[in-house]
Amino acid sequence: VSPGCRGAPGRFAYKLLHDLFANYSSALRPVEDTDRALNVTLKVTLAQIIDMDERNQVLTSYLWVRQTWLDAHLTWDKDEYGGIDSIRIPSSYVWRPDIILYNNADEHFGGSMETNVVLRSDGHIMWDSPAITKSSCKVDVSYFPFDGQRCRLTFGSWTYNGNQIDLRNQLDTGDLTDFVENVEWEVLGMPATRNVITYGCCSEPYPDVTYTLLLRRRASFYIFNLLLPCIMVSFLAPLGFYLPADSGEKVSLGVTVLLALTVFQLLVAESMPPSESVPLIGKYYIATMTMITASTALTIFIMNVHHCGPGARPVPPWARRLILHHMARLCCVYEMGESCKSPQRAPGGRAAAGDAGGAGEGPGEGRAGTEVRGCPRERCPCHHDALLRNVGYIAGCFRRHRANQRRTGEWKKVAKVMDRFFMWVFFLMVFLMSVLVLGNAA
């Protein structure tokens, strides 16, 4: 083939371009009959999800938008131009439909990129243009982080009504063959629907094509960084009841756990939209914080019971029967040398006997007192009344001290039984709340 023959198609292309656009205007709708609607076919390919801003409810995505229509003024006989069947020219040379994204949320309102169009000899024009779009999306975070979202992308003409442009979707779904997987969101589908809407401003119908992007959040990141730490911290709260009352750390542990959960709650609140819909993990945090607040208040009450002084009243009979007998066996609270499986002596039996018999004197105290009281004055070696009074005073103080110790010990045991009982109650509450959260997520 000679060099002149190789250059012939190039000259034909220049001649074709000159002939096509000699009397062409890109400002008018390219139809032979102005009463007929121009068919425009739309195809959207989702390439990537760049960002989902839940707080501002904006979806940023990377799309490939393909528009196809017939231009009646740009046809030619390919045999007259060296067999050229198609040419690629700047899109600004031809008329283009003003198809835009209706729910655009970009502050700059950027459109598609100015790419070339493919013009064929029969007048069909195909315009492929990539676009980074920001669309408004109503985000429902009720089940965060186990939620799914439905984001709509609505395309339509801004000025042409349905009698001038008939917009249709090429496929029933968006094209996902070239989609780049997102680390946070999983795409379940992208169905497309065509709608014809009559707005209040105009009587003409306006068709649009709506692509519904079905998303499901990948919850692994949030489970390991927000949910599991909260569950582990919440299981520490009931252990505050297991701490000895004399350690001085019972209330400090509850306050520390409460502060830790407050930090997690603030982290979740920063990323969620300020709406009335509270996310599932937020409800879990609030329920756990309420439980920890209640446990701290109960701990303060139990510490007051534990530190009842010698001037406290004796343990009431109903408390002795309910707490020191039934609940102590249920919670396996026993004295040194006893076992929760072995039969226990009747709680307070010795104390009752001691109170009845002189406030619990020792094994030989009663007899010694009897002997002293029964000692004939003429045979007793101790004839000094002052010494006898002093000995009686010391014995009475000792008996009162023993009674106060016994009363204080009973109140301490009451506090210990209540600690163990509430510890298991709150452990059960934490477990049930965790199961309910995971059940609602499923």
Side-chain angles (χ1 to χ4, degrees), residues 178-247:
D178 297 312
F179 176 69
V180 179
E181 291 292 334
N182 188 268
V183 294
E184 184 179 2
W185 296 95
E186 178 185 0
V187 178
L188 304 179
M190 193 177 178
T193 57
R194 180 179 182 271
N195 307 301
V196 179
I197 302 175
T198 302
Y199 297 97
C201 65
C202 316
S203 59
E204 297 84 2
Y206 282 83
D208 64 65
V209 176
T210 300
Y211 291 88
T212 304
L213 189 58
L214 306 179
L215 303 174
R216 183 171 61 191
R217 193 189 301 271
R218 303 181 191 271
S220 301
F221 173 82
Y222 299 97
I223 289 176
F224 285 102
N225 290 278
L226 290 180
L227 191 58
L228 284 183
C230 175
I231 293 177
M232 290 188 290
V233 168
S234 60
F235 270 101
L236 285 177
L239 291 178
F241 292 107
Y242 194 75
L243 276 176
D246 297 328
S247 65

Side-chain angles (χ1 to χ4, degrees), residues 367-382:
R367 293 192 301 271
T370 304
E371 291 176 0
V372 171
R373 287 192 298 268
C375 178
R377 190 168 183 85
E378 62 276 4
R379 298 180 182 179
C380 183
C382 300

